[in-house]
Amino acid sequence: MNTIEKLLHTDRPWLTDGGLETWLFFQQGFSAPEFAAIVLLDDDDARAALRRYFDGFLEMASEAGSGYVLDTATWRGTPIWASKLSLSEEDLLRLSRDAVAFACDIRHDWSDRVADIVINGVVGPAGDGYEAGTIADAETAQRIHTPQITALAESGADMISAITMTSIPEAVGIARAAKAAGLPSVISFTLETDGRLPSGDTLDAAIEAVDQATDGAPAYYMINCAHPDHFRGALADGSDWLSRIGGVRANASRLSHAELDEAETLDEGNPEEFGTLHQELAELLPSLRVVGGCCGTDHRHVGCVSHNLHKQAA
């Protein structure tokens, strides 16, 4: 059984990281245009910080005896962002390839302590991660995202994850692009305080639509960039579609996306409560495979999640 197969059939959740961008920019003092951590891969100090960041989460995985999903810092790496980041499209693709190499080096160094590490090629939305997508059709989305997904695949990524997806057509296009590149995909939707996508679609309708349009191509779905209180109610009906949700990366804050967008300070929430809430989520999600965090979360939050989930599975 290869590492991806182990992830898909695990009976205890693997760990991943927290809010990489909020950690870098609010807690470590780095800056980058458009909140795009990918540009910092050319900064030696930022690379050293990223190494410390991932090492901390891998240490947790080692202590918990779990596998680990190691993200590439490539959330805004699709070429449509190049001009806003003052880069050429080729430079941006070069950074995606470099991000995979960086992740592979980390995996190599931890391979004797964490046996199962997946290199997860991260793709973000072509537009704002807090607003409904502006891409009207899946064909356009596939064309926009194919160059980065191809670069990630050819550089050695094990799977592709579309993070902070806000609409169905873009999710479909990315799932198709990943399939064409020969990699499994994960579609992670962001949800508003009412538990719906920014597009207004319900989570179950979005999952069903993407599955129908792609012949069930995504390996699983994930929820990110929303507090558990925002979407817990949508998971409470026990329906079969819940088995398609394999990951949760929640926000530390209960603030809405609009409030977070205006915030000048970081709302770190309560790490211990965050961990307890994930124990409740795990009871609602029969196929939960990956847990970590999103905006405002760091090693403390994911550590509390691991404590709650892995002590139960021990």
Side-chain angles (χ1 to χ4, degrees), residues 90-144:
E90 181 49 45
D91 269 341
L92 202 49
L93 293 175
R94 170 186 61 80
L95 288 169
S96 282
R97 291 189 288 268
D98 186 34
V100 176
F102 182 70
C104 287
D105 286 344
I106 296 174
R107 176 168 63 181
H108 176 269
D109 291 346
W110 279 90
S111 61
D112 60 337
R113 289 163 286 176
V114 181
D116 298 311
I117 301 175
V118 168
I119 303 299
N120 184 36
V122 170
V123 177
D128 193 295
Y130 287 168
E131 299 178 359
T134 58
I135 299 177
D137 61 89
E139 290 73 20
T140 300
Q142 183 174 353
R143 184 176 68 253
I144 287 171

Short mmCIF file of all heavy atoms in Angstrom, two decimals, residues 90-144:
data_model
loop_
_atom_site.label_atom_id
_atom_site.label_comp_id
_atom_site.label_asym_id
_atom_site.label_seq_id
_atom_site.Cartn_x
_atom_site.Cartn_y
_atom_site.Cartn_z
N GLU A 90 6.42 32.51 -15.62
CA GLU A 90 7.42 31.45 -15.48
C GLU A 90 8.08 31.51 -14.10
O GLU A 90 8.38 30.46 -13.50
CB GLU A 90 8.48 31.57 -16.58
CG GLU A 90 9.56 30.48 -16.52
CD GLU A 90 8.99 29.06 -16.40
OE1 GLU A 90 8.03 28.73 -17.13
OE2 GLU A 90 9.49 28.30 -15.55
N ASP A 91 8.32 32.71 -13.58
CA ASP A 91 8.88 32.81 -12.23
C ASP A 91 7.94 32.20 -11.20
O ASP A 91 8.38 31.53 -10.26
CB ASP A 91 9.16 34.27 -11.88
CG ASP A 91 10.58 34.70 -12.24
OD1 ASP A 91 11.43 33.81 -12.43
OD2 ASP A 91 10.83 35.91 -12.33
N LEU A 92 6.66 32.44 -11.37
CA LEU A 92 5.69 31.90 -10.42
C LEU A 92 5.66 30.37 -10.50
O LEU A 92 5.59 29.68 -9.47
CB LEU A 92 4.31 32.49 -10.70
CG LEU A 92 3.29 32.46 -9.55
CD1 LEU A 92 3.87 32.99 -8.25
CD2 LEU A 92 2.06 33.26 -9.94
N LEU A 93 5.73 29.83 -11.69
CA LEU A 93 5.78 28.38 -11.84
C LEU A 93 7.08 27.80 -11.29
O LEU A 93 7.11 26.72 -10.71
CB LEU A 93 5.59 27.98 -13.30
CG LEU A 93 4.20 28.29 -13.88
CD1 LEU A 93 4.17 27.97 -15.36
CD2 LEU A 93 3.11 27.51 -13.14
N ARG A 94 8.17 28.56 -11.46
CA ARG A 94 9.45 28.13 -10.87
C ARG A 94 9.33 28.02 -9.36
O ARG A 94 9.83 27.06 -8.74
CB ARG A 94 10.55 29.14 -11.22
CG ARG A 94 11.87 28.91 -10.46
CD ARG A 94 12.88 30.01 -10.71
NE ARG A 94 12.43 31.33 -10.29
CZ ARG A 94 12.46 31.77 -9.03
NH1 ARG A 94 12.91 30.98 -8.05
NH2 ARG A 94 12.05 32.99 -8.74
N LEU A 95 8.63 28.97 -8.73
CA LEU A 95 8.46 28.93 -7.29
C LEU A 95 7.60 27.74 -6.86
O LEU A 95 7.84 27.15 -5.80
CB LEU A 95 7.84 30.24 -6.80
CG LEU A 95 8.77 31.46 -6.84
CD1 LEU A 95 7.99 32.74 -6.59
CD2 LEU A 95 9.90 31.31 -5.81
N SER A 96 6.62 27.37 -7.68
CA SER A 96 5.84 26.16 -7.36
C SER A 96 6.73 24.93 -7.38
O SER A 96 6.64 24.05 -6.51
CB SER A 96 4.68 26.00 -8.35
OG SER A 96 3.61 26.87 -8.04
N ARG A 97 7.59 24.85 -8.39
CA ARG A 97 8.50 23.69 -8.46
C ARG A 97 9.46 23.70 -7.28
O ARG A 97 9.76 22.65 -6.69
CB ARG A 97 9.25 23.72 -9.79
CG ARG A 97 8.36 23.44 -11.00
CD ARG A 97 9.17 23.26 -12.27
NE ARG A 97 9.73 24.53 -12.74
CZ ARG A 97 9.14 25.33 -13.62
NH1 ARG A 97 7.96 25.00 -14.14
NH2 ARG A 97 9.71 26.46 -14.00
N ASP A 98 9.94 24.89 -6.91
CA ASP A 98 10.85 25.01 -5.77
C ASP A 98 10.17 24.62 -4.47
O ASP A 98 10.78 24.00 -3.59
CB ASP A 98 11.37 26.45 -5.70
CG ASP A 98 12.44 26.63 -4.63
OD1 ASP A 98 13.23 25.70 -4.40
OD2 ASP A 98 12.48 27.71 -4.01
N ALA A 99 8.88 24.97 -4.36
CA ALA A 99 8.14 24.63 -3.14
C ALA A 99 8.04 23.12 -2.96
O ALA A 99 8.11 22.61 -1.84
CB ALA A 99 6.76 25.25 -3.19
N VAL A 100 7.86 22.39 -4.06
CA VAL A 100 7.83 20.93 -3.97
C VAL A 100 9.19 20.39 -3.55
O VAL A 100 9.29 19.51 -2.68
CB VAL A 100 7.38 20.30 -5.29
CG1 VAL A 100 7.45 18.77 -5.21
CG2 VAL A 100 5.97 20.74 -5.65
N ALA A 101 10.25 20.92 -4.13
CA ALA A 101 11.59 20.48 -3.76
C ALA A 101 11.87 20.76 -2.28
O ALA A 101 12.46 19.92 -1.58
CB ALA A 101 12.63 21.19 -4.64
N PHE A 102 11.43 21.91 -1.80
CA PHE A 102 11.58 22.28 -0.39
C PHE A 102 10.85 21.27 0.50
O PHE A 102 11.39 20.79 1.50
CB PHE A 102 11.03 23.70 -0.20
CG PHE A 102 11.14 24.24 1.20
CD1 PHE A 102 12.37 24.57 1.75
CD2 PHE A 102 10.00 24.46 1.97
CE1 PHE A 102 12.47 25.10 3.03
CE2 PHE A 102 10.08 24.99 3.24
CZ PHE A 102 11.32 25.31 3.78
N ALA A 103 9.62 20.93 0.11
CA ALA A 103 8.85 19.96 0.88
C ALA A 103 9.48 18.58 0.84
O ALA A 103 9.50 17.86 1.85
CB ALA A 103 7.41 19.91 0.36
N CYS A 104 10.01 18.20 -0.31
CA CYS A 104 10.66 16.89 -0.43
C CYS A 104 11.89 16.80 0.47
O CYS A 104 12.16 15.74 1.07
CB CYS A 104 11.03 16.61 -1.87
SG CYS A 104 9.63 16.21 -2.95
N ASP A 105 12.63 17.90 0.59
CA ASP A 105 13.79 17.91 1.50
C ASP A 105 13.35 17.71 2.95
O ASP A 105 14.00 16.99 3.71
CB ASP A 105 14.55 19.23 1.37
CG ASP A 105 15.35 19.33 0.08
OD1 ASP A 105 15.59 18.28 -0.56
OD2 ASP A 105 15.75 20.46 -0.29
N ILE A 106 12.25 18.36 3.32
CA ILE A 106 11.73 18.19 4.68
C ILE A 106 11.30 16.75 4.90
O ILE A 106 11.61 16.14 5.94
CB ILE A 106 10.56 19.17 4.93
CG1 ILE A 106 11.05 20.62 4.87
CG2 ILE A 106 9.91 18.88 6.29
CD1 ILE A 106 9.93 21.65 4.96
N ARG A 107 10.60 16.19 3.94
CA ARG A 107 10.16 14.79 4.08
C ARG A 107 11.37 13.87 4.26
O ARG A 107 11.33 12.97 5.11
CB ARG A 107 9.35 14.35 2.87
CG ARG A 107 8.98 12.87 2.93
CD ARG A 107 7.94 12.48 1.91
NE ARG A 107 8.39 12.66 0.53
CZ ARG A 107 7.63 12.39 -0.53
NH1 ARG A 107 6.38 11.98 -0.38
NH2 ARG A 107 8.11 12.58 -1.75
N HIS A 108 12.40 14.08 3.48
CA HIS A 108 13.59 13.24 3.58
C HIS A 108 14.18 13.31 4.99
O HIS A 108 14.56 12.28 5.57
CB HIS A 108 14.63 13.69 2.55
CG HIS A 108 15.92 12.95 2.65
ND1 HIS A 108 16.98 13.38 3.43
CD2 HIS A 108 16.34 11.79 2.07
CE1 HIS A 108 17.98 12.53 3.33
NE2 HIS A 108 17.62 11.55 2.52
N ASP A 109 14.24 14.51 5.54
CA ASP A 109 14.86 14.68 6.85
C ASP A 109 14.03 14.10 7.99
O ASP A 109 14.57 13.82 9.06
CB ASP A 109 15.11 16.17 7.12
CG ASP A 109 16.21 16.74 6.23
OD1 ASP A 109 16.94 15.96 5.60
OD2 ASP A 109 16.32 17.99 6.15
N TRP A 110 12.72 13.91 7.77
CA TRP A 110 11.84 13.38 8.80
C TRP A 110 11.45 11.92 8.55
O TRP A 110 10.70 11.33 9.35
CB TRP A 110 10.57 14.23 8.90
CG TRP A 110 10.78 15.46 9.72
CD1 TRP A 110 11.18 16.70 9.29
CD2 TRP A 110 10.62 15.58 11.14
NE1 TRP A 110 11.28 17.57 10.33
CE2 TRP A 110 10.94 16.91 11.49
CE3 TRP A 110 10.23 14.70 12.15
CZ2 TRP A 110 10.88 17.37 12.80
CZ3 TRP A 110 10.17 15.15 13.46
CH2 TRP A 110 10.50 16.47 13.77
N SER A 111 11.93 11.32 7.50
CA SER A 111 11.46 10.00 7.10
C SER A 111 11.75 8.92 8.13
O SER A 111 11.05 7.90 8.17
CB SER A 111 12.07 9.61 5.75
OG SER A 111 13.49 9.56 5.84
N ASP A 112 12.74 9.12 8.99
CA ASP A 112 13.04 8.11 10.00
C ASP A 112 12.18 8.27 11.25
O ASP A 112 12.18 7.40 12.12
CB ASP A 112 14.52 8.16 10.38
CG ASP A 112 14.95 9.50 10.95
OD1 ASP A 112 14.28 10.52 10.69
OD2 ASP A 112 15.97 9.55 11.67
N ARG A 113 11.43 9.40 11.33
CA ARG A 113 10.58 9.64 12.51
C ARG A 113 9.09 9.66 12.18
O ARG A 113 8.26 9.36 13.04
CB ARG A 113 10.99 10.97 13.15
CG ARG A 113 12.35 10.92 13.85
CD ARG A 113 12.89 12.31 14.10
NE ARG A 113 13.38 12.94 12.87
CZ ARG A 113 13.84 14.18 12.80
NH1 ARG A 113 13.83 14.94 13.89
NH2 ARG A 113 14.28 14.67 11.65
N VAL A 114 8.75 10.04 10.96
CA VAL A 114 7.35 10.01 10.50
C VAL A 114 7.35 9.21 9.21
O VAL A 114 7.78 9.68 8.16
CB VAL A 114 6.80 11.44 10.27
CG1 VAL A 114 5.35 11.37 9.82
CG2 VAL A 114 6.93 12.28 11.53
N ALA A 115 6.86 7.98 9.30
CA ALA A 115 7.00 7.06 8.18
C ALA A 115 6.19 7.47 6.96
O ALA A 115 6.62 7.25 5.81
CB ALA A 115 6.58 5.66 8.62
N ASP A 116 5.02 8.08 7.18
CA ASP A 116 4.11 8.38 6.07
C ASP A 116 3.90 9.88 5.94
O ASP A 116 3.22 10.50 6.77
CB ASP A 116 2.78 7.67 6.28
CG ASP A 116 2.93 6.16 6.32
OD1 ASP A 116 3.58 5.61 5.41
OD2 ASP A 116 2.39 5.53 7.25
N ILE A 117 4.50 10.47 4.91
CA ILE A 117 4.38 11.90 4.64
C ILE A 117 3.97 12.09 3.19
O ILE A 117 4.66 11.63 2.28
CB ILE A 117 5.70 12.65 4.92
CG1 ILE A 117 6.13 12.47 6.39
CG2 ILE A 117 5.56 14.13 4.58
CD1 ILE A 117 7.51 13.07 6.70
N VAL A 118 2.84 12.75 2.98
CA VAL A 118 2.35 13.05 1.64
C VAL A 118 2.74 14.47 1.27
O VAL A 118 2.53 15.41 2.05
CB VAL A 118 0.81 12.92 1.59
CG1 VAL A 118 0.25 13.51 0.31
CG2 VAL A 118 0.41 11.46 1.70
N ILE A 119 3.34 14.65 0.09
CA ILE A 119 3.63 16.00 -0.43
C ILE A 119 2.36 16.48 -1.13
O ILE A 119 1.95 15.94 -2.16
CB ILE A 119 4.81 15.99 -1.41
CG1 ILE A 119 6.06 15.41 -0.74
CG2 ILE A 119 5.09 17.41 -1.90
CD1 ILE A 119 6.56 16.15 0.46
N ASN A 120 1.76 17.51 -0.57
CA ASN A 120 0.46 18.01 -1.01
C ASN A 120 0.63 19.31 -1.78
O ASN A 120 0.94 20.35 -1.20
CB ASN A 120 -0.43 18.22 0.23
CG ASN A 120 -1.83 18.64 -0.13
OD1 ASN A 120 -2.39 18.19 -1.12
ND2 ASN A 120 -2.42 19.51 0.69
N GLY A 121 0.44 19.26 -3.09
CA GLY A 121 0.56 20.45 -3.92
C GLY A 121 -0.67 21.33 -3.78
O GLY A 121 -1.77 20.96 -4.19
N VAL A 122 -0.48 22.51 -3.19
CA VAL A 122 -1.60 23.39 -2.86
C VAL A 122 -1.90 24.35 -4.00
O VAL A 122 -1.00 25.02 -4.53
CB VAL A 122 -1.31 24.17 -1.56
CG1 VAL A 122 -2.34 25.26 -1.34
CG2 VAL A 122 -1.25 23.22 -0.38
N VAL A 123 -3.18 24.42 -4.35
CA VAL A 123 -3.67 25.35 -5.37
C VAL A 123 -4.77 26.19 -4.73
O VAL A 123 -5.62 25.67 -4.01
CB VAL A 123 -4.25 24.59 -6.58
CG1 VAL A 123 -4.84 25.55 -7.60
CG2 VAL A 123 -3.17 23.72 -7.22
N GLY A 124 -4.73 27.49 -4.97
CA GLY A 124 -5.74 28.37 -4.42
C GLY A 124 -6.67 28.89 -5.49
O GLY A 124 -6.47 28.64 -6.69
N PRO A 125 -7.68 29.64 -5.10
CA PRO A 125 -8.63 30.18 -6.08
C PRO A 125 -7.99 31.24 -6.97
O PRO A 125 -7.02 31.90 -6.56
CB PRO A 125 -9.74 30.78 -5.22
CG PRO A 125 -9.07 31.10 -3.92
CD PRO A 125 -8.02 30.05 -3.72
N ALA A 126 -8.54 31.39 -8.16
CA ALA A 126 -8.04 32.43 -9.07
C ALA A 126 -8.41 33.82 -8.58
O ALA A 126 -7.75 34.80 -8.94
CB ALA A 126 -8.60 32.19 -10.47
N GLY A 127 -9.45 33.90 -7.76
CA GLY A 127 -9.87 35.18 -7.20
C GLY A 127 -9.70 35.20 -5.70
O GLY A 127 -8.90 34.46 -5.12
N ASP A 128 -10.49 36.02 -5.04
CA ASP A 128 -10.42 36.17 -3.59
C ASP A 128 -10.98 34.93 -2.90
O ASP A 128 -12.03 34.42 -3.29
CB ASP A 128 -11.23 37.41 -3.17
CG ASP A 128 -10.96 37.82 -1.74
OD1 ASP A 128 -11.30 37.03 -0.83
OD2 ASP A 128 -10.42 38.92 -1.52
N GLY A 129 -10.29 34.47 -1.88
CA GLY A 129 -10.73 33.29 -1.16
C GLY A 129 -11.91 33.52 -0.25
O GLY A 129 -12.42 32.57 0.36
N TYR A 130 -12.36 34.77 -0.13
CA TYR A 130 -13.50 35.09 0.72
C TYR A 130 -14.75 35.44 -0.08
O TYR A 130 -15.80 35.72 0.49
CB TYR A 130 -13.18 36.27 1.63
CG TYR A 130 -12.23 35.98 2.78
CD1 TYR A 130 -11.67 37.02 3.51
CD2 TYR A 130 -11.89 34.68 3.13
CE1 TYR A 130 -10.81 36.77 4.57
CE2 TYR A 130 -11.02 34.42 4.17
CZ TYR A 130 -10.49 35.48 4.90
OH TYR A 130 -9.63 35.23 5.94
N GLU A 131 -14.64 35.48 -1.41
CA GLU A 131 -15.77 35.88 -2.23
C GLU A 131 -16.10 34.80 -3.25
O GLU A 131 -15.25 33.99 -3.61
CB GLU A 131 -15.47 37.20 -2.95
CG GLU A 131 -15.21 38.38 -2.02
CD GLU A 131 -14.86 39.64 -2.76
OE1 GLU A 131 -14.80 39.59 -4.02
OE2 GLU A 131 -14.63 40.67 -2.11
N ALA A 132 -17.35 34.82 -3.71
CA ALA A 132 -17.76 33.84 -4.72
C ALA A 132 -16.87 33.94 -5.95
O ALA A 132 -16.49 35.04 -6.37
CB ALA A 132 -19.22 34.08 -5.11
N GLY A 133 -16.49 32.82 -6.51
CA GLY A 133 -15.57 32.82 -7.64
C GLY A 133 -16.12 33.54 -8.85
O GLY A 133 -17.33 33.58 -9.09
N THR A 134 -15.22 34.13 -9.60
CA THR A 134 -15.61 34.87 -10.80
C THR A 134 -15.46 34.03 -12.07
O THR A 134 -15.81 34.49 -13.15
CB THR A 134 -14.74 36.14 -10.94
OG1 THR A 134 -13.36 35.76 -10.98
CG2 THR A 134 -14.97 37.08 -9.76
N ILE A 135 -14.97 32.80 -11.94
CA ILE A 135 -14.83 31.92 -13.10
C ILE A 135 -16.17 31.24 -13.35
O ILE A 135 -16.69 30.51 -12.50
CB ILE A 135 -13.73 30.88 -12.86
CG1 ILE A 135 -12.38 31.57 -12.64
CG2 ILE A 135 -13.64 29.93 -14.04
CD1 ILE A 135 -11.26 30.63 -12.33
N ALA A 136 -16.73 31.48 -14.51
CA ALA A 136 -18.10 31.06 -14.78
C ALA A 136 -18.23 29.61 -15.19
O ALA A 136 -19.30 29.02 -15.08
CB ALA A 136 -18.72 31.96 -15.86
N ASP A 137 -17.15 29.00 -15.70
CA ASP A 137 -17.28 27.64 -16.19
C ASP A 137 -16.03 26.82 -15.86
O ASP A 137 -14.94 27.36 -15.67
CB ASP A 137 -17.53 27.62 -17.70
CG ASP A 137 -16.39 28.26 -18.47
OD1 ASP A 137 -15.46 27.54 -18.83
OD2 ASP A 137 -16.44 29.49 -18.71
N ALA A 138 -16.23 25.51 -15.79
CA ALA A 138 -15.16 24.61 -15.40
C ALA A 138 -14.04 24.56 -16.42
O ALA A 138 -12.87 24.38 -16.06
CB ALA A 138 -15.73 23.21 -15.18
N GLU A 139 -14.36 24.72 -17.69
CA GLU A 139 -13.34 24.66 -18.74
C GLU A 139 -12.33 25.80 -18.56
O GLU A 139 -11.11 25.59 -18.68
CB GLU A 139 -13.99 24.74 -20.11
CG GLU A 139 -14.79 23.51 -20.51
CD GLU A 139 -16.11 23.37 -19.76
OE1 GLU A 139 -16.60 24.39 -19.21
OE2 GLU A 139 -16.65 22.25 -19.74
N THR A 140 -12.83 26.99 -18.26
CA THR A 140 -11.93 28.12 -18.02
C THR A 140 -11.07 27.86 -16.80
O THR A 140 -9.85 28.12 -16.80
CB THR A 140 -12.72 29.42 -17.84
OG1 THR A 140 -13.48 29.67 -19.03
CG2 THR A 140 -11.81 30.60 -17.57
N ALA A 141 -11.67 27.35 -15.74
CA ALA A 141 -10.93 27.07 -14.52
C ALA A 141 -9.84 26.03 -14.77
O ALA A 141 -8.70 26.18 -14.30
CB ALA A 141 -11.88 26.56 -13.44
N GLN A 142 -10.15 25.01 -15.53
CA GLN A 142 -9.14 23.99 -15.82
C GLN A 142 -7.98 24.59 -16.60
O GLN A 142 -6.81 24.30 -16.30
CB GLN A 142 -9.77 22.84 -16.61
CG GLN A 142 -8.78 21.70 -16.90
CD GLN A 142 -9.45 20.51 -17.54
OE1 GLN A 142 -10.68 20.44 -17.68
NE2 GLN A 142 -8.65 19.52 -17.95
N ARG A 143 -8.27 25.44 -17.56
CA ARG A 143 -7.21 26.06 -18.35
C ARG A 143 -6.33 26.97 -17.47
O ARG A 143 -5.09 26.97 -17.60
CB ARG A 143 -7.83 26.88 -19.48
CG ARG A 143 -6.77 27.49 -20.42
CD ARG A 143 -7.40 28.20 -21.58
NE ARG A 143 -8.12 29.41 -21.18
CZ ARG A 143 -9.44 29.53 -21.15
NH1 ARG A 143 -10.22 28.52 -21.50
NH2 ARG A 143 -10.00 30.66 -20.77
N ILE A 144 -6.94 27.72 -16.57
CA ILE A 144 -6.19 28.64 -15.71
C ILE A 144 -5.27 27.87 -14.76
O ILE A 144 -4.12 28.27 -14.53
CB ILE A 144 -7.17 29.52 -14.91
CG1 ILE A 144 -7.81 30.57 -15.84
CG2 ILE A 144 -6.47 30.21 -13.74
CD1 ILE A 144 -8.94 31.34 -15.19
#
